[in-house]
Amino acid sequence: MGLTGAVVCGFLLDLLLADPPWIPHPVVAMGRVITALEGWLRGHFPKTPEGELRGGLVLAAALPIGTFLISAALCGLVARLHPAAGFLLQSVWCWQVLALKGLAVESGRVFAALNRGELSAGRQAVSRIVGRDTQGLTTEGVIKAAVETVAENFSDGVAAPLFYLLIGGAPLALAYKAVNTMDSMVGYRTGRYLYFGRAAARLDDGVNYIPARLAALLWIAAAFLTGHSGKNAWRIWRRDRRNHPSPNSAQTESACAGALGVQLAGPVSYFGQVCQKPTIGDPLRPVEPEDILRANQMLYGAGVLALMLGIALRTAILILLRGYQICG
């Protein structure tokens, strides 16, 4: 069935099973490697801004390259043992780099807690999917955090992995996840990671540049298809897509804010330090817990569109290349 078949199988497995805790996940292994490498590098480079920059650069290069080489070697070895085993391994890894169902499930838990009137449970639930401080969030803050992470993580949890899967299979997608995991662990622009995490953060910005913009367009299309305001999603995306310190994060957040007719973003606290971020969208109405479910509707719609569009483009390119080889 080839790579396209493995991607489809992985996508369906994600929709059916999400991320079962009983299956070892490569991102967990990546996190352990990052922690170990960070400790080792901090001990071997000078404790100066320049030393931390160099140590962070080594980490940013070593992890994705190592991940790609190891996973590519394993895919090749298993496929040589038996083609069906190679297809199975690709399918499982395609499944594990996707986070559509898991994101919807986790954000759904936030909605359920708020719907019961349990703010503390909502804070705890949203802390599982965001990096910001959640202890002091109001109900509005919890809702915004959940909606923002659904929109933002559609890009790096669904659209970008599919983008790299359809280009280079599981090894390239796993290398992408290595970059993404590094950014989530050390890519902060404050505190102890201001210098050490700079290379990881910039690399993450680079690998997400094209997928984030494709993800925003897919989200706008999904807004039309799911009965939300696609027209306003387009308007707010064009106006506010740069309203974030990251060149990519506001792409899908702005489309989501416009589709819902709410205002997202604004000041956020990380590790006790408040970051002043601009707002995204217009406050046409207050946010409400149901906005989490509405965001999830668009998440599923955009995910299916991303898969269909990606397969169509890959198939068209392969047909053109084969035709060129025959003519040549």
Side-chain angles (χ1 to χ4, degrees):
M1 294 177 66
L3 175 58
T4 301
V7 172
V8 172
C9 286
F11 190 90
L12 293 176
L13 284 169
D14 178 60
L15 287 181
L16 290 171
L17 302 174
D19 184 19
W22 47 269
I23 295 182
H25 202 289
V27 169
V28 175
M30 291 173 191
R32 291 172 180 164
V33 171
I34 291 167
T35 299
L37 276 176
E38 179 187 352
W40 187 86
L41 289 166
R42 287 186 182 276
H44 286 76
F45 282 87
K47 293 178 174 57
T48 62
E50 293 78 12
E52 291 192 0
L53 284 171
R54 290 199 297 270
L57 182 60
V58 171
L59 174 64
L63 187 69
I65 292 173
T67 299
F68 178 82
L69 293 175
I70 292 170
S71 57
L74 285 172
C75 284
L77 175 62
V78 173
R80 280 194 293 271
L81 292 174
H82 197 285
F87 177 82
L88 178 61
L89 180 61
Q90 282 267 4
S91 297
V92 169
W93 276 345
C94 290
W95 164 28
Q96 291 185 310
V97 299
L98 295 169
L100 193 157
K101 179 67 175 292
L103 185 58
V105 168
E106 292 293 337
S107 59
R109 288 176 179 149
V110 180
F111 167 77
L114 295 179
N115 199 44
R116 295 192 304 266
E118 299 175 3
L119 177 56
S120 60
R123 289 169 177 162
Q124 184 177 5
V126 83
S127 71
R128 293 167 55 90
I129 54 175
V130 300
R132 70 190 66 180
D133 299 333
T134 61
Q135 302 92 329
L137 290 179
T138 62
T139 298
E140 178 185 8
V142 171
I143 296 168
K144 286 186 175 182
V147 171
E148 288 166 21
T149 200
V150 167
E152 182 180 353
N153 283 297
F154 166 66
S155 178
D156 55 25
V158 182
L162 279 173
F163 180 81
Y164 288 107
L165 279 170
L166 290 165
I167 292 174
L172 189 60
L174 285 168
Y176 165 78
K177 292 303 290 185
V179 174
N180 196 237
T181 304
M182 275 194 304
D183 181 62
S184 67
M185 291 181 66
V186 306
Y188 299 98
R189 293 169 172 85
T190 57
R192 65 184 269 116
Y193 294 117
L194 179 61
Y195 298 104
F196 186 84
R198 187 170 299 178
R202 289 183 176 174
L203 180 59
D204 186 73
D205 289 343
V207 298
N208 279 298
Y209 191 85
I210 293 174
R213 284 145 185 81
L214 293 174
L217 296 176
L218 289 164
W219 195 281
I220 293 167
F224 280 107
L225 292 175
T226 55
H228 301 289
S229 181
K231 182 178 179 181
N232 199 47
W234 170 261
R235 182 181 70 85
I236 296 298
W237 172 69
R238 293 195 64 190
R239 190 192 74 186
D240 292 350
R241 66 187 186 273
R242 298 184 182 88
N243 284 9
H244 199 283
S246 162
N248 302 318
S249 294
Q251 297 289 327
T252 45
E253 283 186 36
S254 58
C256 184
L260 294 175
V262 300
Q263 188 173 79
L264 300 176
V268 178
S269 175
Y270 294 100
F271 306 111
Q273 183 174 343
V274 176
C275 296
Q276 297 296 332
K277 295 182 179 181
T279 57
I280 296 172
D282 295 327
L284 302 181
R285 61 173 179 82
V287 295
E288 56 187 12
E290 287 75 12
D291 287 324
I292 300 172
L293 302 184
R294 295 174 186 128
N296 282 338
Q297 289 176 346
M298 290 183 278
L299 169 70
Y300 278 112
V304 172
L305 287 174
L307 178 67
M308 294 171 60
L309 178 62
I311 290 174
L313 288 174
R314 176 179 169 82
T315 302
I317 291 170
L318 290 176
I319 291 172
L320 288 173
L321 290 175
R322 286 171 186 165
Y324 176 78
Q325 290 174 350
I326 292 172
C327 293

